[in-house]
Amino acid sequence: MEASAIMEIKDNTFARQFETVIPEGMLAVEYSFQEKKIFLTKINKPESYENEETINTLLKNILDLSAEKNYRVVPIHPKIVSFFKKNPRYKELLPPGIRI
């Protein structure tokens, strides 16, 4: 899957996670929401699934959705923090005072 590919993402508000279906199962990013901020707390993936490109595509799509809704994003999970470091264009989504 190319990095710019659009994947279908479901915002499961009951489980508080963004989900997408992949051939190996479900890939999800858990979040909590507070005062126009989304805290990305955990990545759930099938056991032994390590396709960084697909995970990055999911994160890019989540961040694009957040930007459309004018939400700020607070990365909590280390892989998501690392994603922000590798993709400086998304740093504008960080709330004031948070540096990565």
Side-chain angles (χ1 to χ4, degrees):
M1 182 177 283
E2 11 175 300
S4 63
I6 299 290
M7 59 174 52
E8 188 173 325
I9 298 174
K10 179 183 176 207
D11 181 359
N12 183 338
T13 53
F14 182 73
R16 293 193 327 249
Q17 63 185 17
F18 294 104
E19 305 168 341
T20 191
V21 177
I22 54 175
E24 296 80 358
M26 185 181 314
L27 186 59
V29 175
E30 291 183 15
Y31 67 85
S32 64
F33 189 75
Q34 180 180 342
E35 299 172 13
K36 293 193 79 121
K37 289 186 200 126
I38 295 179
F39 294 77
L40 300 177
T41 57
K42 187 175 179 186
I43 297 175
N44 294 325
K45 57 188 173 71
E47 203 170 308
S48 76
Y49 183 78
E50 291 301 324
N51 187 332
E52 289 295 318
E53 195 173 320
T54 303
I55 293 170
N56 287 343
T57 300
L58 175 61
L59 291 173
K60 286 176 184 177
N61 282 286
I62 291 169
L63 295 176
D64 290 341
L65 284 170
S66 299
E68 283 176 28
K69 295 182 179 188
N70 290 321
Y71 294 151
R72 295 293 179 181
V73 178
V74 181
I76 304 293
H77 191 278
K79 273 194 180 192
I80 301 172
V81 171
S82 168
F83 175 84
F84 267 85
K85 287 179 182 174
K86 292 177 188 167
N87 297 277
R89 74 175 211 223
Y90 291 110
K91 288 190 177 183
E92 67 195 33
L93 294 175
L94 295 170
I98 294 189
R99 287 201 181 92
I100 292 184

